[in-house]
Amino acid sequence: MTLNRIVSATALDEDGPAGHLSLRPQTIDDYVGQPTLVEKLRISLEASRQRGDAMEHVLLHGPPGLGKTTLSHVIANELGTHLTVTAGPALTKGSELVGTLTKLQKHDVLFIDEIHRMPVALEEFLYSAMEDFKVEFVVDSGMHAKTITLPLQPFTLIGATTRAGLLSGPMRSRFGITHHLEFYNDADLHSIIRRSANLLGVSHADNQAVGLIGKRSRGTPRIANRLLRRVRDYAQIKRDGVIDATTVNLALQLEGVDELGLDDLDRKYLQTIAEIYEGGPVGLEAIAATLSEDAGTLEDMVEPFLLQLGFLARTRRGRQLTVKAGDYMGVTISPPTDSDDGLFS
């Protein structure tokens, strides 16, 4: 259940070529949200086109589902070059990375997702590649060892990570543009859902319905598009194709997603702390054991949105529900005492 949550921001099979990829904006003009980053990219793209050289390397960090991969496609399209996509965990050998780099053509874009998970030993190949467009590697060993230098075509590296703090300092310093992607506001989500609805052939969805989907999307376009497809399917089978507020409420009620975007696991997490541990504070391991869930899963997939909503406080003594969470659940929660204040590191 946890791995296939409809409100999970991580990519699912249904977000693949038949679904999510077809909804990706292809140009910078089509991209909605992240206005500061978009302005940075517009300037850098135009400057590189005028000079005829490769665009600066870009590091994008932030929660999953906010458009890091989409932006790599947009940048490659704007430059009129080829995009090569790989991931940090997939690069395990120096020969694999060198092979990828030497295949790049002039001004191509290389996108490395979850770049913080790339082995540290491989970063050294990228240092000279990013700065001097060459790669050096050692063949043989001992007295017969020799260094071979291969020239590379000028290229742009786009690194994406959900945990920028795990990326080494020397690696971060080699990116010319570094930007943290923020959660999307309701207005931007409304525009994204409306555009996706048109592409999916459901342009008859009324504004109230689009707004309700946006409010349950947890500020994440990937989730918004996923919810839209579920509403579209429900409307087609159960509501004669009508997509209004009633359709949205019925469809997402069936999926277990409430008006705030919380699902069954979110509510079980809150209920566990409220009823069994009297609102907290309680340690994460204790919550995980009670729910029979992995602690890392709860920390990565459940807690971030509850923190964003202001439903959860991570104190020195453990997790504590807030008064706002108590109001949502209809229970009385005592505010944290002075001794409970302070965040976990």
Side-chain angles (χ1 to χ4, degrees):
M1 177 189 70
T2 301
L3 294 179
N4 294 315
R5 299 167 68 208
I6 189 175
V7 293
S8 170
T10 54
L12 304 179
D13 289 342
E14 67 183 81
D15 301 320
H20 184 68
L21 283 177
S22 64
L23 303 181
R24 292 190 191 279
Q26 300 300 310
T27 67
I28 199 77
D29 290 333
D30 290 336
Y31 193 89
V32 177
Q34 313 295 338
T36 302
L37 174 58
V38 168
E39 184 62 19
K40 288 182 185 178
L41 294 177
R42 285 186 189 276
I43 293 171
S44 188
L45 284 165
E46 184 59 31
S48 64
R49 281 193 290 256
Q50 290 182 10
R51 292 192 304 266
D53 58 12
M55 179 180 160
E56 283 190 289
H57 305 299
V58 181
L59 177 63
L60 304 173
H61 54 97
L66 298 185
K68 295 184 286 293
T69 305
T70 295
L71 278 169
S72 69
H73 286 267
V74 167
I75 290 171
N77 289 337
E78 290 287 342
L79 292 173
T81 58
H82 178 71
L83 173 68
T84 299
V85 178
T86 186
L91 298 171
T92 58
K93 299 178 181 178
S95 58
E96 296 172 345
L97 179 58
V98 171
T100 299
L101 291 171
T102 54
K103 290 178 183 177
L104 297 175
Q105 300 300 308
K106 187 176 182 180
H107 298 170
D108 274 359
V109 176
L110 172 62
F111 175 68
I112 303 180
D113 196 14
E114 294 301 291
I115 193 172
H116 69 274
R117 296 177 62 188
M118 187 173 65
V120 176
L122 298 191
E123 288 188 5
E124 297 179 3
F125 289 106
L126 283 179
Y127 294 163
S128 58
M130 295 171 71
E131 291 186 329
D132 304 316
F133 300 120
K134 65 181 182 181
V135 62
E136 299 176 342
F137 62 97
V138 178
V139 294
D140 294 330
S141 60
M143 63 181 296
H144 301 291
K146 59 180 179 179
T147 300
I148 296 179
T149 301
L150 294 177
L152 302 175
Q153 294 287 352
F155 71 99
T156 297
L157 173 64
I158 301 177
T161 175
T162 55
R163 296 189 174 186
L166 298 183
L167 202 62
S168 68
M171 190 68 194
R172 284 198 302 269
S173 68
R174 284 168 167 80
F175 288 95
I177 299 175
T178 301
H179 194 87
H180 176 74
L181 274 69
E182 304 286 347
F183 287 104
Y184 288 64
N185 59 39
D186 288 345
D188 286 341
L189 285 172
H190 191 283
S191 298
I192 290 169
I193 296 169
R194 178 58 69 190
R195 175 183 177 277
S196 297
N198 290 333
L199 292 174
L200 291 172
V202 289
S203 55
H204 54 282
D206 64 37
N207 285 330
Q208 186 179 10
V210 170
L212 288 175
I213 295 173
K215 289 183 180 300
R216 302 184 189 202
S217 300
R218 303 165 81 111
T220 306
R222 178 179 290 158
I223 297 175
N225 287 330
R226 195 181 297 153
L227 295 182
L228 173 62
R229 287 195 293 271
R230 298 293 175 87
V231 171
R232 174 199 60 180
D233 293 346
Y234 186 92
Q236 178 182 331
I237 302 303
K238 294 287 190 178
R239 297 276 294 169
D240 295 326
V242 176
I243 299 182
D244 55 13
T246 300
T247 302
V248 172
N249 288 330
L250 291 173
L252 298 187
Q253 181 180 2
L254 185 64
E255 298 290 344
V257 180
D258 68 13
E259 64 278 2
L260 293 181
L262 300 179
D263 70 351
D264 290 337
L265 183 58
D266 297 316
R267 290 188 289 270
K268 286 180 180 177
Y269 178 98
L270 294 172
Q271 186 177 10
T272 296
I273 300 178
E275 297 182 358
I276 298 179
Y277 299 104
E278 300 179 343
V282 56
L284 177 61
E285 294 292 341
I287 302 171
T290 304
L291 290 173
S292 298
E293 289 283 354
D294 177 68
T297 298
L298 295 178
E299 187 172 24
D300 293 340
M301 299 180 64
V302 176
E303 292 186 345
F305 186 59
L306 297 179
L307 289 166
Q308 180 189 343
L309 287 177
F311 280 8
L312 183 67
R314 298 169 71 176
T315 72
R316 294 187 181 93
R317 295 176 56 197
R319 274 54 172 176
Q320 168 100 37
L321 295 187
T322 65
V323 174
K324 188 176 181 181
D327 293 341
Y328 165 79
M329 301 176 67
V331 299
T332 300
I333 299 293
S334 301
T337 63
D338 293 340
S339 60
D340 292 334
D341 290 341
L343 300 177
F344 279 131
S345 58

